[in-house]
Amino acid sequence: MIALEKLSKIFPTSNGDITAVDNIDLTIDEGEIFGVIGYSGAGKSTLIRLLNMLEKPTSGKIIIAEKNMADLQGSSLRKARQEISMIFQHFNLLWSRTVRENIAFPLEIAKLSKKDKNARVDELIDLVGLTGREDAYPAQLSGGQKQRVGIARALANNPKVLLCDEATSALDPKTTDSILELLTDINKKLGLTIVLITHEMHVIRKICNRVAVMENGKIVEEGPVLDVFRQPREEMTKEFVKQITEPEETMEAIRELMKTGDTSPIVKISFLGEDAEQPIMTNLILTCGVSVNILQGKVSKTRDGSYGTLFVQLQGNQEQLNHALSYLKDQQVQTEVMTAHE
């Protein structure tokens, strides 16, 4: 569906050239939700703007639905762009227009008949859950409702690709989850290919099939989300995964516990897939005779399975502790004995 081949974007400045996107090769399958994650300055916003030619590449190919976007001009480019819509962090709504009028705007440009336009707007209002708010103005809407308007407007012309530029960054966590659920529902109902950029691993974890990690204009790691959670290779990826698996308040509590002089080992246990649903701790206690002090635990759901992390303090004699660590290894769960510098 989308193929990037040796794609680069260089911005010339008075202080020298800045390479925002650096020789990227990437394939995104039709109908998947693909995430691109990176910190500010990584190049992810430039990358997504290259996909619909809001930025022109310095070199390389952008192939979408078998067309090289970089070769298109004029009416051919405008026609290809109609199949690629975008939603933004700050909504970009027309503040003097109602919900209905905002959603209708691209249909007016496409010169749809009044009957067809009204029917399509009604359909989209229902799809994004804004029934009853048709005549409200943006200033009268919550942040989540504004983004729903933005999504409906982006879907007006039946695009094949939806680009999401930090679409949930301005929203609170609960509203973020509701928008992510809406995007997932749209992906299933319409078979839409969604490319989503973010700096939040929670967003990637919740709805993406695959993820690419960007740093300094390059993709440093890419793969299925569950695989990336299980075995992140690059330091940048490990930082993002820790947003979910090692919340700072948990790590601070562990560091404080270690300062007390208690030498009982603290172990981080990572579960994957069906193992995340199994009573491994109960079996550990019964089999090895150790006492287990659970410090923190969480099972995270991804699109393709569960990934769980559990921080526990094991208490017992040395033989029991060795038996416990050996038992966990035999269960094919990842274990890491925490140290004071963690």
Side-chain angles (χ1 to χ4, degrees), residues 44-239:
K44 59 189 187 300
S45 290
T46 301
L47 177 64
I48 205 169
R49 289 169 62 84
L50 286 166
L51 294 182
N52 60 1
M53 296 296 290
L54 289 177
E55 296 286 354
K56 293 185 178 181
T58 303
S59 60
K61 294 181 179 180
I62 306 164
I63 300 170
I64 300 179
E66 300 181 351
K67 302 184 189 77
N68 184 5
M69 299 291 291
D71 289 343
L72 301 180
Q73 295 181 353
S75 61
S76 297
L77 178 58
R78 287 192 294 272
K79 184 176 180 181
R81 276 177 170 161
Q82 289 178 359
E83 297 184 342
I84 308 168
S85 283
M86 195 166 184
I87 58 175
F88 305 88
Q89 177 179 358
H90 296 296
F91 321 125
N92 287 14
L93 302 181
L94 300 169
W95 294 88
S96 62
R97 286 179 170 237
T98 64
V99 166
R100 174 177 290 279
E101 290 166 343
N102 264 281
I103 297 171
F105 185 62
L107 300 174
E108 293 170 7
I109 295 174
K111 295 183 169 31
L112 252 68
S113 69
K114 184 175 181 180
K115 179 181 178 181
D116 289 343
K117 179 184 69 175
N118 289 338
R120 179 61 175 156
V121 170
D122 288 341
E123 180 183 353
L124 290 166
I125 286 172
D126 179 63
L127 177 66
V128 301
L130 287 175
T131 301
R133 302 295 286 160
E134 301 93 328
D135 298 321
Y137 288 89
Q140 299 170 308
L141 302 177
S142 67
Q145 289 171 332
K146 291 172 189 172
Q147 194 56 283
R148 288 172 185 269
V149 178
I151 292 170
R153 182 182 59 185
L155 297 176
N157 284 319
N158 294 300
K160 295 179 180 177
V161 178
L162 179 63
L163 307 178
C164 304
D165 186 1
E166 297 278 10
T168 60
S169 294
L171 306 175
D172 62 75
K174 184 176 180 180
T175 305
T176 291
D177 284 347
S178 71
I179 294 298
L180 295 178
E181 288 167 5
L182 174 61
L183 291 173
T184 302
D185 187 50
I186 288 169
N187 169 254
K188 290 178 180 177
K189 286 180 177 177
L190 306 182
L192 199 63
T193 303
I194 298 177
V195 183
L196 181 152
I197 69 168
T198 183
H199 62 275
E200 299 173 301
M201 199 63 181
H202 164 75
V203 172
I204 299 295
R205 187 268 301 173
K206 192 168 181 69
I207 71 168
C208 294
N209 303 107
R210 291 190 297 138
V211 60
V213 182
M214 282 194 74
E215 184 178 16
N216 297 325
K218 295 179 179 291
I219 290 178
V220 297
E221 189 162 350
E222 183 265 321
V225 171
L226 198 57
D227 290 351
V228 170
F229 263 77
R230 178 180 58 183
Q231 289 184 319
R233 300 189 307 271
E234 301 296 325
E235 285 304 315
M236 178 64 64
T237 312
K238 292 175 183 177
E239 286 185 26

Side-chain angles (χ1 to χ4, degrees), residues 268-299:
K268 176 186 175 184
I269 304 168
S270 301
F271 308 85
L272 180 68
E274 292 181 359
D275 288 337
E277 313 291 343
Q278 301 303 313
I280 291 177
M281 287 299 98
T282 299
N283 296 337
L284 176 71
I285 295 168
L286 294 174
T287 302
C288 304
V290 292
S291 296
V292 176
N293 178 20
I294 297 177
L295 305 177
Q296 191 262 358
K298 182 176 184 180
V299 174

Side-chain angles (χ1 to χ4, degrees), residues 6-26:
K6 299 189 182 306
L7 183 65
S8 293
K9 177 63 179 180
I10 299 172
F11 292 100
T13 73
S14 58
N15 295 321
D17 291 348
I18 296 176
T19 303
V21 173
D22 191 358
N23 200 37
I24 282 179
D25 291 309
L26 184 66

Side-chain angles (χ1 to χ4, degrees), residues 249-267:
E249 59 269 22
T250 298
M251 301 312 296
E252 182 61 32
I254 289 172
R255 286 190 287 267
E256 290 299 319
L257 183 59
M258 288 178 171
K259 291 177 183 178
T260 65
D262 188 340
T263 58
S264 300
I266 296 173
V267 182

